[in-house]
Structures are given as C-alpha cells and as structure tokens.
Amino acid sequence: MNAANLLKQYFGYDKFRPGQKELIDSILSGRDTLGIMPTGAGKSLCFQIPALMMDGITLVVSPLISLMKDQVEALNQAGIHAAYLNSSLTPGQYRKALQFAAAGRYKLIYVAPERLVTEEFLSFALHAQISMVAVDEAHCVSQWGQDFRPSYLKIVEFVDRLKIRPVLAAFTATATKIVQEDIVRILTLREPLRLTTGFDRPNLYFAVQSPQNKYAAMKAYVDLHPGESGIIYCLTRKTVEEVCLRLRAEGVSASRYHAGLGDEERRKNQEDFIYDRVDIIVATNAFGMGIDKSNVRFVIHYNMPKNMESYYQEAGRAGRDGEPAECILLYGGQDVITNQLFISHSRENEELDLEALALVQQQDRERLKKMTFYCFTNECLRDYILRYFGEYASNYCGNCSNCLGRFETVDVTETVKALLGAVNTSRQRYGVNVILDTVRGADTTKVQNYRMKENPYYGSLAKMPVYKLRQILNQLQVQEYLTVTDDAYAVVKLTGKSQAVLDGALPVVMKMAKEAERPPKKAEKKGEKQKKRRQKLAAELHAEDFTLEEEQLFERLRALRREIAAEEKVPPYVVFSDKTLVHLCVQKPVNEKELLEISGIGAFKAEKYGRRFLKCMCEGLEGLLVNPAD
Ligand code: ADP
Ligand code: MG
Ligand code: ZN
C-alpha cells in the first residue's frame, strides 16, 4: 500500500497536511530527515506511516511516558501493533514486551532514551532489524532548547552500536536556528532533508485583554463556553489554587495542576481533564508537556508568561484538531513584576557561574520585554508572533483581537511631547507612575517628595483619562520612543528618537482603540457557542446549518463515544474527534462503505465501532421520525 492509502486505511484522513508527504518520502528514500513543524501540525504520522511501509522495526524515542502512552494507544486504536518500553512497566511486563518485540509483533516500539543502551534492550536490538530510529521532541538533545534531557545523548551511542545504520528521523516544534543545528550535529544526521513548515496556526484566534478584574473577565468567558475543554494558565501555584477554588465554588467543572501537588493527585487531575471528566484545568506551566489532547477549545493565560516561546507553546495546546480555538491572554502590570522577580531569583541551573548567570538573566529580561510588547501592540498579534519566530507574515490576519478590534490612527504628538518632556525635565530618574501622576496633576506622596509640582508639565494632561495615558506610554515603548529599565524601579529613559519629537521635528501617530463603545455582546445562551461551532463545521462540509435533529444526533453520538472510551480506557478523542462526529451527523452514512468516507474513520475503526455508531445513528433518526410533532 502506498502512503496515501495508509493514511486513509489506518487514520481515516484523505489528505496529507503541508510537509507530511515530503517528510515521509524522504524517510522512505533512506535519507536522514529533520522535520520542524508547529505543535498540532501532525508530526507523528510522518514517522508512523513510513514505519508501516519499511521492512523491520521503527524505534521511536520520546521523552515522556505520557506521550508514549498516548501515541501507542492511538496506534492500537487504529489497528497498528505498537508498544512502549519505559519505567511504567514492571520488570515482568518489560521482558514480555521485549519477547514480543523480538518475535516481530510490533512495527513501532516507543522507547525511553535511557533504556536504549541497557544490556537487556541492546541484546534485543542487536538481533533485530531496526530500519528507522525516529526521535520525537528532538530539541531535548540541545542545551539551548526549552527542555534539555541528557539521556537523549544516548541515542547516538545506541545507533553506533547497531551493525546496520538505520535511517534517523528527528522531529521538533522548536524553531530557533541554534537548536536545529544542535539536533543535526549531536544526533549526527547525515545530510538530512530539512523541512520547516510555517509556524502559523490559522485556526487559533489570539486576543489580549487588560481587564480591571481578571477573574470576572475569565469567568464571563467560561460561562459563554459551557462544556468546552479549556486550560487556564497562571503564573503561581497560589493563583492556581485561588482561581480553581473559586471556579468550583461557582459550579464550574474544574481541576488544578501544579508541581506542589502530590504525584497521585497530579496524575488523577491530568487524567480527569484528558478523559473529559472535567472541562477545565487550572494550571501552572508545569502542565502540558506530553498532553496530546486534541479538543482543547481555549487556552486562557490568567497571567502573562515569561516569554513568547512559552506563550506560543502553551497557547498552541488549543485546537490541535485543526478546528477553531481561542487563545486569550489577560494582561496585568503585576505580571511583569512577578516575572522580573522570577528572573532575579532564578537558580534553575546551578552549574552556571555568576557571569554566565548574569548573561542568562539579561537574555531572560530581553525576552520578557518582547512578551510584554505583545500585550501592548495594537498591530496584528499573529504577525507579531510569527515575526518573533523569524517568519514573515501579513500584517492583517483577520483572526486576532487587534485585527478585529476597532482602531483609528490618531496624531498624539502633543500628548507625547508632554510625556517625554516630563521625563526629560525630571532628568530621567523616575518610574512610569511618577511620570503619569505628574502630567495628570495628581497629589501623591511621591509627587510631593520629588517636588514634581514644580515640573513644567505638571497637570498638563489632566484632562486625559489615565488608562489612555498608559496605553500611549506602552505604545511609546513598543515604538522605542522610550525605554524602561529592567530593574525593580523601572525607570523611564529617553531614546535617540525622543529628542526629535521634543524638538518638534517628528510627529507621532498611533493606532488607538476607538472610543465609541460597542454595545456589549449579548450573553449567548448555554451551549449556543458550541452549537455555532458545529454549524460552522457543518458549513465547511457544504451542508446547510445543523438542524435540531442533527444537534440531537450529535449529542447521542457523543454519549456513545464516551461509553466506548470508558470501555477501551482511552480518552474520547482517541476514539473519534469532534470533527468526525460532525461529519457523521451531516453525512448520515447508512452502511460501512459510506462510513469509510468520513474523515477520521479508517478501516480498522470502521470494523471495530462502525456497527455501534450506525445503529446509534439509525435509532436517533427513527426516534425523530416517530415524534414529528416536535
Ligand atoms: P504534533 O506531534 O505535530 O504536535 P500530532 O502528530 O499529535 O501533532 O497530530 C495532531 C493531530 O492532527 C492529531 O489528532 C492527528 O490525528 C491529526 N492529523 C495529523 N495528520 C493529519 C491529516 N493529514 N489530516 C487530518 N488530521 C491529521
Ligand atoms: Mg508530537
Ligand atoms: Zn491579526
């Protein structure tokens, strides 16, 4: 069978996504291969399909037990023989699995890197035909990556022991050049095909908000999305506790996750979320690595994270199924301070000497600044993200809060002159708040102590609302008319550009949020939003809107999916994705042949679950027919 047939047969998909075919072909041609694709792009298939087509066994190296488990479960559900070898197995189970492996039972074997060069594993591997070693999350070999794992260095040691060198294929979502070079060098890839697909995730909507009351803003969002799966990231354990407790007290189905909890509770809470037993998980950044849950519909950042890398990785856990999902960041000035404290007190890497530590901290502060500017910018958020990762994008995406917001271009030269003037005449010694209070004409202790009432700009912007002044100050930083020092005092300094404005030689225009308040969106009824999403999907399938009957059918199918997932002890999305259920509702297949035309249903799953789903659909439709009065 060729690759396209296998895609259909086992995974039930009709088309390869960008990059997949090229990577598969490269591996099949025997060439080492490096695939760099964003989270959710579909890297797993790029080694799983060639594994099925090559003689012999493919070893997949993966950093986390949960990742291996998830992928092996998904493969087994698709009818592919695969197993994992890691510390979650008892010695007895481990030996048994190796025996099966030696007997040729598995096409794919997932193995923890530290196992590779053990006696036991080598004695198997040296007598087996290993045709490919696929390294997932390959950035783990690099010290520069987000997640260096020294055990990954054993991969090369292992490959060198084999009599016949297998094809090496490496995959990562990390874009930076230095990490890519490390992967090629350390894994000793031979003239690899390198393929980078775009980092854009068009199905994700990005938004930044600076609400007065974060909890209220977040809660309002959650209320509008009942029953949807979401992650709420907080910076500290304490915030996780507070937010989770309050949500639960208010009747929201939520659970918590952070490194301060015991192993047992962490595992349980994570599973509850993955298995759709709770809707929302409130977590620190400890949560997420190894989560392949495909139906996360929103990721809310209750606090701004420390850098864009973390943000995109965490936000990217939304919408892995390719369907619309939302990533919302709730910015507050305190977030910057908390992150600065983390940086100043970071002792993460104890091997660093003081000089190296200072350098790392400086880089961290620089990254934090770029993160902060993401929250300040009025330009397209997607464009900002992609440019950060070195991609060119258009400056209008139409699917972020800035592109969809209402802005106008305003000449703010006079206001800016007053702000810069206040900084200049007070000899660049004070922080943002003192400057703000001065131009507003406030009478605070600091204003008195620093004798700012004598400043020529005192009270010169008294008529302007303070939030607007803050916005302008933020924009001035993004556009580099001002900088703010990184230390705790956050002193405002002028830049080369400032002087020209002060001299009156340079006018300043800014894109500002339009004043006229839009009428507040009417709160949508419970479930309304989900319904809309399904109707959108239905529309993509060129069907009319979802009818009431189809709505009800969808709920029946969902219940059946939950039932099967419980029987199989796998998460519901491993059985069928939401998208597949929508297809079913719209297309209404009546026999197995028609079933196979549905995206996400391969031959194996059709055989295994087809009858139950067909029956469920049939009953659902009949039930509706005998009740024509509704
Ligand atoms: P990555 O490892 O790149 O983050 P995964 O391999 O986990 O992504 O794939 C993400 C999701 O995309 C999975 O649910 C997978 O089944 C789905 N997927 C992969 N390839 C395709 C395709 N060609 N068509 C439709 N869905 C796909
Ligand atoms: Mg992956
Ligand atoms: Zn945009």
Side-chain angles (χ1 to χ4, degrees):
M1 245 194 281
N2 67 23
N5 291 341
L6 289 168
L7 181 71
K8 182 73 192 155
Q9 164 86 9
Y10 286 107
F11 302 98
Y13 299 134
D14 291 319
K15 281 199 310 280
F16 282 112
R17 292 211 186 129
Q20 287 181 324
K21 188 69 176 37
E22 292 83 342
L23 289 164
I24 290 171
D25 286 344
S26 165
I27 293 172
L28 288 174
S29 76
R31 184 170 175 194
D32 284 357
T33 300
L34 172 58
I36 299 149
M37 298 163 120
T39 307
K43 290 184 282 295
S44 322
L45 286 186
C46 299
F47 55 83
Q48 289 166 346
I49 286 184
L52 295 173
M53 300 173 73
M54 293 158 91
D55 294 332
I57 297 168
T58 289
L59 298 178
V60 184
V61 182
S62 178
L64 289 181
I65 291 173
S66 59
L67 271 179
M68 297 191 206
K69 189 163 170 272
D70 214 55
Q71 291 199 21
V72 167
E73 271 172 0
L75 286 170
N76 289 336
Q77 283 295 320
I80 296 167
H81 294 285
Y84 52 82
L85 298 171
N86 58 39
S87 57
S88 73
L89 303 180
T90 64
Q93 289 171 325
Y94 187 78
R95 226 168 298 125
K96 191 97 200 152
L98 268 181
Q99 268 172 24
F100 282 150
R105 267 281 266 278
Y106 310 122
K107 279 309 272 184
L108 288 117
I109 299 172
Y110 284 67
V111 52
E114 64 275 7
R115 297 261 155 177
L116 287 170
V117 288
T118 58
E119 280 301 303
E120 223 179 352
F121 188 77
L122 273 174
S123 71
F124 149 72
L126 291 176
H127 297 100
Q129 185 190 355
I130 312 285
S131 36
M132 171 182 17
V133 174
V135 183
D136 205 4
E137 314 291 347
H139 55 273
C140 292
V141 296
S142 169
Q143 309 215 28
W144 300 100
Q146 295 242 325
D147 189 31
F148 173 52
R149 288 177 188 249
S151 57
Y152 260 56
L153 302 174
K154 297 205 190 303
I155 298 171
V156 186
E157 201 182 320
F158 168 75
V159 170
D160 285 343
R161 297 284 296 269
L162 298 175
K163 281 185 224 87
I164 300 170
R165 186 181 183 276
V167 180
L168 293 187
F171 298 88
T172 180
T174 308
T176 60
K177 273 274 167 297
I178 187 158
V179 174
Q180 289 179 27
E181 291 313 320
D182 264 9
I183 293 173
V184 171
R185 186 176 53 82
I186 297 169
L187 290 178
T188 63
L189 302 185
R190 295 185 186 163
E191 295 173 19
L193 173 96
R194 292 187 196 205
L195 190 138
T196 308
T197 60
F199 269 72
D200 191 13
R201 302 272 311 277
N203 63 317
L204 299 186
Y205 163 82
F206 289 97
V208 175
Q209 298 172 9
S210 312
Q212 290 287 340
N213 181 338
K214 283 190 182 186
Y215 184 84
M218 178 274 290
K219 179 68 169 35
Y221 183 92
V222 167
D223 286 343
L224 282 177
H225 298 76
E228 290 188 13
S229 196
I231 306 175
I232 298 172
Y233 277 112
C234 307
L235 264 184
T236 64
R237 296 175 190 182
K238 188 162 159 276
T239 316
V240 168
E241 293 293 338
E242 288 167 4
V243 169
C244 184
L245 207 68
R246 201 162 154 194
L247 280 175
R248 293 177 72 124
E250 295 181 309
V252 176
S253 157
S255 190
R256 61 184 181 168
Y257 191 103
H258 59 69
L261 303 173
D263 286 350
E264 183 53 30
E265 186 183 350
R266 276 217 309 263
R267 195 191 52 75
K268 180 181 174 300
N269 294 355
Q270 173 170 327
E271 288 207 337
D272 282 348
F273 178 64
I274 289 179
Y275 286 74
D276 286 344
R277 290 191 288 256
V278 300
D279 292 341
I280 291 174
I281 191 130
V282 187
T284 60
N285 62 2
F287 179 79
M289 199 19 182
I291 307 291
D292 273 356
K293 187 172 166 64
S294 71
N295 66 337
V296 176
R297 294 271 67 86
F298 61 86
V299 172
I300 297 180
H301 277 78
Y302 200 77
N303 303 105
M304 179 184 77
K306 62 177 189 273
N307 56 41
M308 292 295 296
E309 286 88 348
S310 308
Y311 181 64
Y312 204 47
Q313 189 174 53
E314 289 160 12
R317 299 199 167 109
R320 291 178 71 119
D321 50 13
E323 292 175 32
E326 306 198 333
C327 310
I328 296 162
L329 196 163
L330 304 180
Y331 172 83
Q334 180 62 36
D335 299 338
V336 182
I337 297 168
T338 311
N339 275 305
Q340 271 164 349
L341 284 175
F342 280 154
I343 294 174
S344 318
H345 295 105
S346 79
R347 287 282 174 276
E348 248 174 49
N349 207 333
E350 289 172 351
E351 291 160 32
L352 295 180
D353 58 33
L354 279 182
E355 202 179 329
L357 185 67
L359 198 70
V360 167
Q361 291 185 341
Q362 196 197 327
Q363 284 172 358
D364 286 348
R365 291 205 177 91
E366 197 51 44
R367 288 190 191 173
L368 175 59
K369 203 174 250 177
K370 296 264 170 62
M371 181 74 245
T372 313
F373 287 178
Y374 173 79
C375 301
F376 291 171
T377 186
N378 287 337
E379 302 298 328
C380 174
L381 293 173
R382 187 181 313 277
D383 184 53
Y384 187 94
I385 294 171
L386 294 177
R387 270 189 293 121
Y388 183 86
F389 291 110
E391 269 183 37
Y392 293 99
S394 83
N395 52 22
Y396 178 89
C397 76
N399 193 25
C400 76
S401 56
N402 285 351
C403 285
L404 295 176
R406 305 210 309 159
F407 290 92
E408 56 194 347
T409 307
V410 189
D411 185 323
V412 287
T413 312
E414 289 313 309
T415 312
V416 172
K417 267 187 178 168
L419 286 166
L420 297 180
V423 175
N424 193 29
T425 49
S426 58
R427 290 184 293 163
Q428 310 183 44
R429 284 175 300 172
Y430 304 123
V432 171
N433 287 331
V434 173
I435 297 300
L436 271 178
D437 287 341
T438 302
V439 295
R440 285 171 58 215
D443 192 11
T444 65
T445 325
K446 278 188 178 168
V447 165
Q448 288 166 12
N449 289 349
Y450 303 151
R451 308 176 62 159
M452 289 305 269
K453 285 191 181 173
E454 293 159 29
N455 188 287
Y457 295 93
Y458 183 78
S460 62
L461 297 175
K463 287 205 190 97
M464 206 173 259
V466 65
Y467 78 90
K468 216 160 184 188
L469 287 173
R470 261 188 209 285
Q471 279 179 3
I472 293 178
L473 270 170
N474 290 344
Q475 286 305 309
L476 287 175
Q477 289 182 59
V478 177
Q479 298 183 18
E480 293 177 337
Y481 286 100
L482 280 179
T483 59
V484 175
T485 57
D486 289 326
D487 51 47
Y489 304 104
V491 176
V492 185
K493 302 271 183 194
L494 299 175
T495 68
K497 266 169 109 177
S498 329
Q499 197 54 50
V501 179
L502 284 171
D503 293 344
L506 189 62
V508 186
V509 287
M510 276 181 190
K511 204 174 144 191
M512 302 286 292
K514 251 196 168 147
E515 270 317 294
E517 276 283 303
R518 268 187 294 177
K521 250 197 187 166
K522 269 221 327 250
E524 292 179 83
K525 277 213 306 272
K526 234 176 159 19
E528 195 64 12
K529 183 91 184 185
Q530 270 177 305
K531 184 174 154 198
K532 274 207 185 132
R533 189 163 58 81
R534 292 202 295 275
Q535 293 190 329
K536 186 155 180 276
L537 278 170
E540 277 169 22
L541 297 173
H542 307 294
E544 295 297 305
D545 270 0
F546 244 44
T547 60
L548 181 64
E549 286 76 16
E550 284 161 346
E551 283 286 328
Q552 292 169 350
L553 188 56
F554 183 87
E555 291 309 325
R556 291 175 59 93
L557 296 180
R558 217 155 82 115
L560 175 60
R561 176 177 69 173
R562 212 176 302 123
E563 189 181 308
I564 292 177
E567 288 165 20
E568 298 278 322
K569 299 196 176 53
V570 297
Y573 63 83
V574 167
V575 178
F576 285 135
S577 69
D578 283 3
K579 193 168 190 158
T580 300
L581 296 191
V582 171
H583 273 247
L584 283 171
C585 293
V586 173
Q587 242 111 304
K588 302 185 188 62
V590 292
N591 54 38
E592 190 165 314
K593 185 165 161 288
E594 289 181 16
L595 207 58
L596 284 169
E597 282 163 21
I598 306 286
S599 171
I601 306 190
F604 190 78
K605 282 190 184 171
E607 164 98 35
K608 196 162 171 191
Y609 307 128
R611 285 189 42 192
R612 284 171 78 177
F613 274 93
L614 286 173
K615 183 154 170 273
C616 178
M617 300 204 20
C618 188
E619 282 166 1
L621 294 171
E622 273 169 13
L624 293 166
L625 285 180
V626 290
N627 269 325
D630 301 340

